Amino acid sequence: MTALNLINVTLEYPDGEGTLKALDAVDLAVPAGQFVSLVGPSGSGKSSLLAVAATLVKPSSGLVMIDGVDATALGEKALAELRRDKVGIIFQQPNLLASLTSIEQLVITDHLRGKPLKAATARAAELLDLVGLADCGNKRPHQLSGGQRQRVNIARALMAQPKVLLVDEPTAALDHERSASIVQLLREVTDEFKVATIMVTHDTEFVPLTDAVATMRDGVLAAPVPAGAGVGAA
Ligand SMILES: Nc1ncnc2c1ncn2[C@@H]1O[C@H](COP(=O)(O)OP(=O)(O)O)[C@@H](O)[C@H]1O
Ligand SMILES: [Mg+2]
């Protein structure tokens, strides 16, 4: 099952007199359980691709298929539900709520989905354990390191049991050792939960932990190649 499928996706922004193609006829299929690195120069369209795949931005043309559903054909309410239930989003800055404990950060997202509190609390505890934070459930963001905050962020994105995980430079604010363990964690959750994961990164040394690497240039996406095939080593 192709969890995420972008078909001939173009995204244009107004640019002075003309338009700028942030995405130019992008095709990308990511099956469940596949971990794809997305690399390319600054301004090449990587974040735009994630925003479109996350259904946060509607493309100018093309299809965005999530778990078999064309997001571009949905109305606002159905689209919000699809995003909430199927898409996990992890950005560079964890954006945790300062006043909440780790466990509360997770529970509140599920509670907003209408899940019973008890089940949400049990799942939150399981996920914190999975990301290596079993002892940090009652800590607030200021009591956590940058790496721990990013782990809470990852656990929170997994609460909905998403089919697609979109990750934008998750290690940009972390030191080398913490970065490696965050990418390793993303590898593990991709395998464990069979999500389709796309990670934007400029740390090419982490590319070999992923299955495939896709390169973006001026809005054009080259077809992904196996991550071991040398791009990561270049
Ligand atoms: N909201 C926006 N309005 C206008 N132009 C944008 C917007 N977002 C991104 N762009 C432009 O689209 C191009 C791709 O940007 P982006 O996807 O952020 O690239 P990357 O993440 O690879 O650095 C850039 O030229 C950027 O300036
Ligand atoms: Mg970006």
Side-chain angles (χ1 to χ4, degrees):
M1 174 71 166
T2 306
L4 173 69
N5 205 353
L6 305 181
I7 301 167
N8 201 16
V9 166
T10 293
L11 175 65
E12 293 177 337
Y13 288 115
D15 182 29
E17 304 284 280
T19 55
L20 180 150
K21 274 191 183 169
L23 299 174
D24 188 355
V26 166
D27 289 305
L28 180 64
V30 188
Q34 193 176 63
F35 190 3
V36 177
S37 303
L38 181 59
V39 302
S42 177
S44 60
K46 305 180 299 296
S47 294
S48 297
L49 188 152
L50 289 197
V52 165
T55 77
L56 292 168
V57 171
K58 192 173 175 164
S60 311
S61 62
L63 302 184
V64 177
M65 308 288 299
I66 292 177
D67 200 27
V69 173
D70 176 15
T72 61
L74 298 180
E76 215 156 290
K77 184 160 179 281
L79 187 60
E81 281 172 12
L82 178 78
R83 187 186 312 128
R84 188 190 69 187
D85 296 340
K86 301 284 171 84
V87 183
I89 301 172
I90 298 167
F91 292 146
Q92 179 181 331
Q93 296 300 338
N95 276 326
L96 301 176
L97 297 164
S99 62
L100 298 187
T101 66
S102 302
I103 203 133
E104 288 166 349
Q105 312 273 353
L106 272 59
V107 167
I108 197 166
T109 60
D110 239 26
H111 198 53
L112 293 174
R113 255 176 224 115
K115 295 275 172 61
L117 208 55
K118 204 172 162 194
T121 306
R123 177 160 175 81
E126 260 171 50
L127 283 171
L128 284 179
D129 190 21
L130 181 99
V131 301
L133 294 180
D135 298 334
C136 296
N138 293 319
K139 291 190 178 168
R140 294 187 163 75
H142 73 274
Q143 297 168 303
L144 301 171
S145 70
Q148 288 173 327
R149 283 197 286 269
Q150 194 56 290
R151 284 168 186 272
V152 174
N153 193 19
I154 292 169
R156 181 176 58 178
L158 293 168
M159 278 299 278
Q161 304 182 269
K163 301 288 183 189
V164 176
L165 203 53
L166 302 166
V167 196
D168 203 349
E169 305 202 23
T171 63
L174 302 178
D175 63 35
H176 178 268
E177 202 176 317
R178 290 202 171 107
S179 297
S181 70
I182 288 295
V183 180
Q184 184 58 45
L185 175 62
L186 291 168
R187 171 80 262 175
E188 286 163 18
V189 301
T190 300
D191 294 341
E192 166 116 11
F193 299 110
K194 296 283 175 286
V195 284
T197 302
I198 303 179
M199 174 179 70
V200 171
T201 183
H202 43 228
D203 286 321
T204 49
E205 68 163 301
F206 300 132
V207 166
L209 284 171
T210 67
D211 298 307
V213 54
T215 303
M216 194 89 191
R217 204 169 285 276
D218 294 332
V220 176
L221 186 73
V225 298
V231 178

